[in-house]
Amino acid sequence: MVRAGHSPSVRLFEAAACGVPIISDDWAGLETFFEPGRELFVTRSGAETLRYLREVPERERQAMGQRARQRVLAEHTAEHRARTLEDYVLEAERGG
């Protein structure tokens, strides 16, 4: 993942799986895992982080956390990773 330009922390997925509203820094590739603004907050400054904490209603923060949880359960579990690996192995066996 690092060679691909991004390497998300497993903690990001753990927090999302728990339905925790996430505030993340912006990094290349984030949008391949989560939809910024819908499944997590993206911050570029301390002031922006404080705005999320102070001004976003609790109900909205919780809804965002639940959407992130749904994404993780639908696309980012260990089972998904194992299937992806199996697919890569099968493709390599076929010469792809």
Side-chain angles (χ1 to χ4, degrees), residues 24-44:
S24 175
D25 59 335
D26 191 20
W27 46 274
L30 176 62
E31 70 285 347
T32 63
F33 300 101
F34 295 99
E35 185 179 337
R38 175 169 163 65
E39 297 167 335
L40 50 72
F41 297 100
V42 175
T43 187
R44 291 168 186 82

Side-chain angles (χ1 to χ4, degrees), residues 12-85:
L12 180 68
F13 297 98
E14 291 170 344
C18 292
V20 174
I22 297 169
I23 301 174
S24 175
D25 59 335
D26 191 20
W27 46 274
L30 176 62
E31 70 285 347
T32 63
F33 300 101
F34 295 99
E35 185 179 337
R38 175 169 163 65
E39 297 167 335
L40 50 72
F41 297 100
V42 175
T43 187
R44 291 168 186 82
S45 70
E48 192 170 23
T49 300
L50 287 174
R51 185 177 61 77
Y52 291 138
L53 294 171
R54 293 177 177 159
E55 298 177 18
V56 176
E58 178 70 15
R59 194 166 98 208
E60 186 177 334
R61 289 193 309 261
Q62 292 301 320
M64 187 169 286
Q66 287 305 309
R67 288 190 294 268
R69 176 178 162 72
Q70 291 168 354
R71 170 63 75 91
V72 167
L73 295 178
E75 299 178 20
H76 300 298
T77 64
E79 182 177 349
H80 290 104
R81 297 294 176 259
R83 285 186 190 159
T84 300
L85 177 60

